[in-house]
């Protein structure tokens, strides 16, 4: 088969990212402009600012990505963009850019689900085998998904309330850490011990919950502040991380037993977490007949390469959208 090159655009949150991806697993180029520093003073992503910053840089990022790939538009087979979920204004900027390219160059247009992108980031590590059990852990999602093909998703379980990344960011904020707090907690926890009390959670084995953990740490920090007691930030991070990640590992183990997949993959921003990666790798040693992959750290958080990897399957299945396609901030996988 001839090679398939896709220009993918990801602008669902605070990264303006464009990648040229060949055959779903060869990255020709990627250029990402991160807005994190502009949002840090607000301790979270400011949606209006995010859209404005995407508009300012999107054309340059596209041009730079094409230059770095050392190809011309005539070699590109299709244009892909993140259609949802995400921030509506941010999604819109990527969608307009992609539609303009598709229209001007007369190429097929693909509206890719952001979570399908996170999952297919694993294609850069190894070919995905089906049935595949995918764990998506990010700032907005905590889900276990069964895949019977590249674009065949069944959500097996999800969080009843907050996402794990949201809990990391909230607890980090309470501890005075920068946004996004996940990477900081990850680092601090390496020098800490699990010394603080943890809540007893009553959560079914087929669902997740992070609001109770969030409130528990909120209370611990608030009480310590009121009593003027010093907080050992490293121990607090280690305690939080231990309970946050063990919930994931227990449910992953339960789902593997129940569904017997051929491949287990972990995806989403929180899959960059070193403790989660180590714990999951340990767990998977007990399942030596099942393939296991986690994307390299740079493909864990939002990036256009993963959208290009997923878009390859949209292209093969001819799942094209028209120039009227609307972004969907609450888009589901199924
Ligand atoms: O996938 P992502 O970039 O954006 C969403 O689609 O949500 O995920 C962002 C989330 C943030 O909550 C961030 O704190 C978390 O991923 N994160 C981490 C780490 N790196 C990013 N959480 C824990 N440990 C990390 N090393
Ligand atoms: Zn994401």
């Amino acid at each position: 088969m001839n090679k398939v090159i896709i220009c993918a655009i990801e602008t669902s949150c605070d990264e303006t990212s464009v990648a040229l991806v060949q055959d779903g697993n060869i990255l020709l180029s990627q250029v990402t402009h991160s807005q994190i520093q502009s949002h840090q003073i607000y301790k979270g992503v400011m949606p209006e600012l995010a859209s404005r910053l995407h508009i300012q840089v999107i054309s340059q990022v596209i041009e730079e990505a094409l230059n770095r790939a050392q190809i011309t538009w005539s070699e590109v087979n299709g244009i892909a963009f993140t259609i949802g979920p995400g921030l509506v204004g941010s999604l819109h900027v990527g969608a307009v850019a992609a539609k303009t390219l598709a229209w001007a160059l007369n190429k097929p247009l693909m509206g890719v689900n952001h979570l399908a992108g996170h999952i297919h980031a694993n294609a850069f590590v190894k070919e995905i085998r089906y049935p595949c059990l995918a764990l998506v852990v990010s700032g907005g999602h905590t889900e276990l998904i069964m895949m019977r093909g590249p674009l065949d998703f069944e959500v097996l379980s999800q969080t009843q309330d907050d996402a794990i990344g949201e809990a990391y960011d909230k607890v980090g904020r309470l501890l005075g850490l920068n946004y996004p707090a996940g990477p900081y907690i990850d680092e601090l926890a390496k020098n800490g011990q699990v010394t603080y009390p943890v809540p007893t959670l009553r959560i079914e084995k087929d669902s997740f919950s992070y609001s109770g953990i969030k409130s528990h740490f909120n209370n611990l920090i608030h009480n310590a502040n009121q009593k003027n007691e010093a907080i050992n930030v490293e121990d607090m991070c280690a305690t939080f991380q231990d309970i946050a990640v063990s919930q994931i590992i227990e449910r992953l183990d339960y789902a593997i037993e129940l569904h017997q997949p051929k491949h287990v993959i972990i995806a989403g921003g929180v899959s960059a977490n070193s403790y989660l990666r180590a714990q999951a790798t340990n767990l998977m040693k007990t399942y030596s007949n099942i393939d296991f992959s986690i994307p390299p750290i740079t493909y864990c958080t939002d990036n256009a390469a993963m959208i290009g990897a997923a878009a390859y399957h949209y292209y093969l299945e001819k799942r094209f959208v028209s120039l009227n396609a609307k972004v969907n901030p609450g888009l589901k996988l199924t």
Side-chain angles (χ1 to χ4, degrees):
M1 200 179 104
N2 287 340
K3 63 186 179 190
V4 174
I5 297 179
I6 302 217
C7 171
I9 301 178
E10 152 66 37
T11 61
S12 67
C13 191
D14 57 351
E15 321 276 349
T16 317
S17 186
V18 177
L20 274 304
V21 180
Q22 183 182 319
D23 298 334
N25 60 8
I26 302 168
L27 184 62
L28 302 181
S29 70
Q30 174 166 251
V31 177
T32 302
H33 173 264
S34 172
Q35 307 176 352
I36 282 184
Q37 283 194 332
S38 310
H39 295 287
Q40 265 169 351
I41 48 165
Y42 304 105
K43 307 221 178 287
V45 176
M46 180 66 83
E48 293 80 1
L49 178 62
S51 325
R52 218 172 331 127
L53 294 175
H54 283 308
I55 293 171
Q56 280 174 16
V57 301
I58 186 86
S59 305
Q60 268 168 280
V61 174
I62 294 172
E63 211 174 308
E64 179 69 22
L66 190 77
N67 286 343
R68 285 200 203 168
Q70 298 189 315
I71 55 167
T72 60
W73 284 118
S74 63
E75 293 168 80
V76 173
N77 299 81
I79 313 292
F81 67 101
T82 304
I83 196 164
L87 300 172
V88 66
S90 292
L91 289 167
H92 201 64
V93 179
V96 170
K99 287 176 189 181
T100 309
L101 286 173
W103 173 76
L105 302 165
N106 197 22
K107 310 268 183 202
L109 179 67
M110 290 152 279
V112 173
N113 185 304
H114 181 77
L115 299 183
H118 273 303
I119 290 170
H120 281 282
N122 280 279
F124 293 108
V125 184
K126 65 166 80 153
E127 193 181 335
I128 301 176
R129 293 203 303 147
Y130 303 96
C132 169
L133 180 67
L135 169 73
V136 179
V137 277
S138 72
H141 294 85
T142 310
E143 295 180 6
L144 271 167
I145 293 147
M146 181 53 84
M147 296 169 70
R148 293 194 174 75
L151 300 178
D152 178 345
F153 306 101
E154 181 195 351
V155 177
L156 299 174
S157 52
Q158 54 192 319
T159 181
Q160 297 165 14
D161 37 61
D162 302 327
I164 181 170
E166 212 177 323
Y168 263 94
D169 295 339
K170 178 70 196 295
V171 170
R173 188 172 168 168
L174 292 166
L175 290 170
L177 305 177
N178 249 344
Y179 175 84
Y184 298 101
I185 293 186
D186 191 356
E187 273 315 299
L188 288 162
K190 286 179 187 161
N191 299 317
Q193 303 291 326
V194 180
T195 52
Y196 282 94
V198 290
T200 322
L201 301 168
R202 284 188 193 81
I203 316 160
E204 298 296 323
K205 279 196 164 182
D206 58 357
S207 82
F208 300 88
S209 169
Y210 281 95
S211 74
I213 296 180
K214 218 170 73 177
S215 320
H216 173 81
F217 283 89
N218 187 10
N219 292 341
L220 279 183
I221 296 164
H222 184 73
N223 291 343
N225 286 344
Q226 280 213 322
K227 291 184 203 153
N228 255 338
E229 280 171 12
I231 293 172
N232 183 322
V233 176
E234 290 169 342
D235 287 355
M236 185 74 84
C237 288
T239 310
F240 164 75
Q241 180 153 276
D242 190 57
I243 188 162
V245 169
S246 40
Q247 183 179 144
I248 298 284
I249 300 297
E250 279 164 22
R251 272 139 195 85
L252 183 60
D253 191 16
Y254 176 74
I256 295 171
E257 283 288 339
L258 200 64
H259 299 283
Q260 303 285 320
K262 287 201 174 123
H263 194 156
V264 169
I265 65 184
I266 306 190
V270 183
S271 64
N273 184 267
S274 61
Y275 187 65
L276 171 61
R277 294 171 86 93
Q279 295 289 309
T281 305
N282 246 345
L283 169 72
M284 293 313 296
K285 284 187 186 143
T286 60
Y287 293 105
S288 54
N289 56 333
I290 301 177
D291 276 359
F292 174 57
S293 53
I294 321 178
I297 308 266
T298 47
Y299 295 129
C300 289
T301 46
D302 294 346
N303 64 86
M306 68 185 198
I307 300 302
Y312 175 64
H313 300 284
Y314 283 63
Y315 185 88
L316 294 183
E317 295 188 15
K318 295 196 169 37
R319 291 202 192 192
F320 303 133
V321 292
S322 78
L323 293 174
N324 293 327
K326 298 224 168 5
V327 299
N328 181 352
L331 186 67
K332 300 271 178 275
L333 258 181
T334 43

